[in-house]
Amino acid sequence: MTVVAIDGPAGAGKSTVARRLAAALGYRHLDTGAMYRGVALAALERGVAPGQAVSVERLAADIDLVIEGDRILIDGRDVSERVREPDVTRAVSAYSAVPGVRAVLVQRQRALAAQRDVVMEGRDIGTAVVPDAAIKIFLTASIRERALRRLADQDTDDAAALAELEASIAARDEADAARAASPFVRAPDAIVVDSTGRNVDEVVAEVLSLISAQGRP
Ligand code: DC
């Protein structure tokens, strides 16, 4: 099976680009960040803190976490919108840093990659989940641009909100890069695509041409 790995920081446009690439290639799209968000939500709801590593790992292994297209279901409940809310966004880095959680989710991600060709997006796809992916893209954008995109999602143009978003995005990048278990780093063989100042069509076209330049998977 072929894997296109799309890694990059929060707000770089990974989901939009990965979804569009998957549609263009006829592959499945898998947002691995949604899986970490699902575990974080389940843990928050059960009052399990990230420091309770054994309990969090058990929970990650026990919950029925299903990704269906762009929807995420936990134990049959559709939590696709719920996992994007601020409490989950604030907590998810800490839960994703638990080695046992990563082990459980990485195993599931590899199993999914073995079933069907996939465009898989996350932070460690090209470094840890599928190091032999056919093509690895590291999608990035300036912190200002990433914060502006998040702000547009929230339908506000408040300057204080922008500064706050920039700070929280930078803090999450740092937390993801500083963790001991598969820290967020660029794979040495990933191709860097910077989406700053460019629209989705341009970025998707660039990645598709990179894929065909490498010989389409
Ligand atoms: O892409 P996102 O913002 O939905 O990701 C949520 C969190 O999950 C983010 O803080 C980093 C973590 N994550 C990870 O550690 N490894 C992945 N493959 C995907 C996400």
Side-chain angles (χ1 to χ4, degrees), residues 17-43:
V17 169
R19 198 175 297 123
R20 290 268 301 270
L21 282 174
L25 295 166
Y27 289 9
R28 175 180 190 167
H29 165 225
L30 184 68
D31 173 5
T32 61
M35 300 172 79
Y36 288 96
R37 286 172 179 271
V39 170
L41 174 63

Side-chain angles (χ1 to χ4, degrees), residues 96-107:
S96 71
V98 177
V101 169
R102 303 202 71 81
V104 168
L105 294 188
V106 167
Q107 195 189 14

